[in-house]
Amino acid sequence: MGKHSIFHSDTPESDKIDRLVVLPFMKSVDIAVKSIRVRFFRSLITTVSLVLAVSFLSFTQVGSDMANGLLSTGDPALRQALIRSGYDLQPVDMRVENSPKQRWIIVLSLLVCVVGIVNAQLMAVTERFREIGTMKCLGALDRFILRLFLLEAGIQGLIGSSAGAVIGGAFAMVNFLLRFGTESLTTLSWTQAGLSVAGATLVGCMLSLIGVMYPAIVAARMQPVEAMRVEQ
Amino acid sequence: MTDSRKIVRVTQVTKSFKLGKLDVMALKGVDLEIAAGNYISIMGPSGSGKSTLFNMIGGLDKPTTGKVFIDEVDIAQLDAYELAWLRCRKIGYIFQTFNIIQVMTALENVTLPMTFAGMADDAAAEKGIKLLQMVGLGDRFQHKPFELSGGQQQRVAIARALANDPAIILADEPTGNLDLNTGEEIIYLLKQLSRERGVTIISATHDIKMLNVSDQVVWIRDGRIDKIENREELSISIGQINTIPGLGSLSEA
């Protein structure tokens, strides 16, 4: 019995009908965007933790870039000012690196953020059990559901983390401007700062996708019979 | 298509669930044949195995032993893709809770199964509007579900169930969440569809109003088929049914 012959039907045209169930990519994007818009407030809450974590990351990275810019002038007064403002500089150091403590705090904040995303997305999946079950009754495959959730998280991640990265970067600049004056902006390597912001955005997107992975798999494996259940 | 074609065939089906350490037999050997184009009601008290049998016919659940054939295809042999295809093209589902996808308009709900089936957007929209007109919602296709009443939502669900011209429509308590008049309207809409389009309609229900339009009523009791009544026999016993709501003559073995 051939895989595609089992639905042999009595009409001759039926052989021409595509036996695959499909969901075009643009249609999935469309549905994902609609889902976010309709559940805007919930999406916002999921995104806020990401915005905060990413802006913290961006703040420290851009801060380091600006400190490096100031150091590269070789001005001993600026060097003293940096040390006074908390940068741990040995006499031989020509660059500012993140201290282990700083790195630890960054990793911790990102970790907390991922846990928050997993939590929020699991809630979202539970809320949408009926919708997912209905889609499956209409013929959706597991991977359609997986793709919808990943797309939603990707869009949320991109918007949230770019907002966070820009906010964090801007905050770092304002901070340096107030402490060290305009010199901190003129000596700053803008490519370096741009790279830091882009890097933070990328990290944020990855976190958002990692966070949604488990909830999305739970959603995709759901049985369509759940849609029939009356309680809710 | 002859009337005698069996669209659904259930043979010796049992289903058991694990409830903690207990094995519960929800179905204890059911044989059932459903002819194409008929309007079938499955009746029975809650806990009778009605929903289990219903889910089995809809390809939503697989039997523990025995076989379920839909259009002479054994559903236990199907892989995930073929099951999805079956749900998309062969079966239309109508739920007690309507289950209109909240983020989409009425029209988008109706066209979603057509998208899954690979239909182009324009053709799908055109067909979707036709279907919505047919169920009496021609002017409301851009409305979101929360702007529609329960009866209107169920109409959208019926249009959605018809999207890919299925052979079977499965309706799980379609009038359970509707008031008397709206429920009646929905029942007659379903009946009309089964007559005009030759769709087999199988509905699980408590609703006595359904009996008037059914070609056949299957009574389930305690995991077994209690009796199957055809339309002719039904009109005689209907007074009796009304006096004992939800159950037929209990004395029958």
Side-chain angles (χ1 to χ4, degrees):
Chain A
M1 189 156 62
K3 188 174 166 184
H4 293 288
S5 65
I6 54 163
F7 283 120
H8 199 76
S9 129
D10 33 11
T11 49
E13 312 91 81
S14 66
D15 284 322
K16 285 181 230 149
I17 296 172
D18 197 352
R19 258 67 209 282
L20 282 175
V21 184
V22 290
L23 182 61
F25 186 74
M26 281 321 290
K27 202 81 187 174
S28 342
V29 174
D30 194 38
I31 296 175
V33 170
K34 269 185 200 128
S35 279
I36 295 175
R37 289 224 318 251
V38 167
R39 281 176 266 261
F40 182 72
F41 199 65
R42 166 169 282 286
S43 312
L44 200 68
I45 293 172
T46 320
T47 317
V48 163
S49 76
L50 191 68
V51 171
L52 291 176
V54 171
S55 68
F56 178 62
L57 175 66
S58 170
F59 175 77
T60 34
Q61 296 311 105
V62 173
S64 297
D65 294 339
M66 299 191 83
N68 278 327
L70 290 174
L71 267 184
S72 66
T73 57
D75 186 341
L78 280 174
R79 195 184 174 90
Q80 282 309 309
L82 277 173
I83 291 171
R84 266 203 310 281
S85 71
Y87 281 93
D88 225 358
L89 285 174
Q90 301 302 315
V92 286
D93 285 349
M94 288 312 291
R95 290 188 57 78
V96 176
E97 300 290 348
N98 286 336
S99 68
K101 195 167 79 185
Q102 230 174 353
R103 259 178 253 149
W104 170 234
I105 293 174
I106 291 173
V107 169
L108 204 64
S109 78
L110 297 182
L111 212 63
V112 168
C113 167
V114 172
V115 173
I117 291 174
V118 173
N119 192 11
Q121 294 284 16
L122 271 178
M123 281 284 286
V125 166
T126 323
E127 262 176 17
R128 289 163 70 175
F129 252 34
R130 173 155 300 180
E131 179 184 322
I132 299 161
T134 308
M135 281 205 184
K136 287 200 149 181
C137 280
L138 301 180
L141 292 169
D142 288 10
R143 60 182 147 91
F144 295 178
I145 309 291
L146 195 66
R147 197 200 293 159
L148 282 179
F149 272 88
L150 287 182
L151 271 172
E152 265 180 55
I155 295 169
Q156 282 176 356
L158 193 65
I159 294 173
S161 47
S162 44
V166 168
I167 292 170
F171 206 69
M173 285 179 194
V174 172
N175 184 25
F176 268 73
L177 204 60
L178 291 179
R179 278 199 199 167
F180 305 101
T182 48
E183 209 168 348
S184 57
L185 283 184
T186 50
T187 57
L188 170 66
S189 155
W190 287 92
T191 23
Q192 195 58 48
L195 279 178
S196 294
V197 169
T201 310
L202 193 70
V203 169
C205 287
M206 298 305 290
L207 291 183
S208 182
L209 288 177
I210 291 170
V212 84
M213 217 60 198
Y214 173 67
I217 289 172
V218 170
R221 289 211 181 134
M222 208 201 85
Q223 291 303 308
V225 68
E226 305 273 348
M228 297 280 205
R229 303 242 160 98
V230 179
E231 77 259 29
Q232 187 174 50
Chain B
M1 187 168 68
T2 54
D3 255 2
S4 60
R5 191 164 73 105
K6 297 286 179 269
I7 191 85
V8 175
R9 203 148 55 84
V10 178
T11 52
Q12 281 303 312
V13 161
T14 67
K15 178 76 182 177
S16 53
F17 294 105
K18 273 223 173 333
L19 260 184
K21 283 177 187 166
L22 267 162
D23 264 332
V24 180
M25 287 281 264
L27 289 179
K28 301 169 182 167
V30 170
D31 291 285
L32 182 64
E33 285 189 340
I34 295 174
N38 271 356
Y39 190 122
I40 312 288
S41 291
I42 301 177
M43 289 239 174
S46 22
S48 60
K50 180 181 55 169
S51 306
T52 314
L53 176 63
F54 185 79
N55 289 341
M56 218 81 80
I57 295 171
L60 297 172
D61 209 345
K62 286 182 178 175
T64 310
T65 64
K67 284 190 186 322
V68 177
F69 297 90
I70 295 175
D71 217 359
E72 295 307 320
V73 174
D74 181 2
I75 60 160
Q77 304 290 327
L78 302 185
D79 63 23
Y81 293 92
E82 289 163 338
L83 267 177
W85 188 89
L86 184 86
R87 287 179 196 133
C88 186
R89 311 284 298 246
K90 285 266 175 188
I91 305 176
Y93 298 90
I94 297 171
F95 308 91
Q96 179 177 359
T97 46
F98 321 136
N99 287 11
I100 301 298
I101 295 171
Q102 295 295 319
V103 302
M104 298 181 183
T105 64
L107 182 61
E108 285 165 337
N109 264 285
V110 178
T111 54
L112 187 65
M114 302 188 217
T115 307
F116 287 159
M119 201 189 261
D121 278 359
D122 296 342
E126 199 179 308
K127 190 175 177 189
I129 290 173
K130 258 189 211 142
L131 285 169
L132 283 169
Q133 276 165 351
M134 199 181 65
V135 297
L137 288 176
D139 51 337
R140 308 189 76 97
F141 55 86
Q142 288 301 1
H143 286 241
K144 283 269 165 66
F146 56 83
E147 298 165 324
L148 298 171
S149 70
Q152 287 169 337
Q153 288 194 40
Q154 197 60 301
R155 282 163 191 272
V156 175
I158 291 172
R160 183 177 66 186
L162 289 167
N164 290 323
D165 302 311
I168 306 170
I169 285 189
L170 279 176
D172 186 18
E173 306 261 5
T175 58
N177 279 11
L178 298 173
D179 64 62
L180 274 172
N181 285 332
T182 326
E184 216 152 67
E185 281 168 34
I186 294 295
I187 290 170
Y188 284 111
L189 180 59
L190 285 173
K191 179 64 186 172
Q192 186 195 338
L193 291 172
S194 102
R195 235 191 349 245
E196 284 172 8
R197 305 187 138 229
V199 189
T200 312
I201 295 189
I202 303 170
S203 81
T205 186
H206 284 115
D207 195 340
I208 298 296
K209 293 196 293 294
M210 282 274 191
L211 294 181
N212 288 326
V213 297
S214 306
D215 295 314
Q216 211 169 41
V217 180
V218 180
W219 299 87
I220 303 283
R221 242 166 70 78
D222 199 21
R224 288 198 173 85
I225 291 184
D226 192 28
K227 57 180 175 176
I228 300 176
E229 287 179 312
N230 289 323
R231 185 156 177 69
E232 310 82 64
E233 313 157 41
L234 210 68
S235 44
I236 306 165
S237 59
I238 199 141
Q240 192 185 350
I241 290 158
N242 274 330
T243 54
I244 315 168
L247 282 177
S249 42
L250 293 169
S251 51
E252 208 164 300

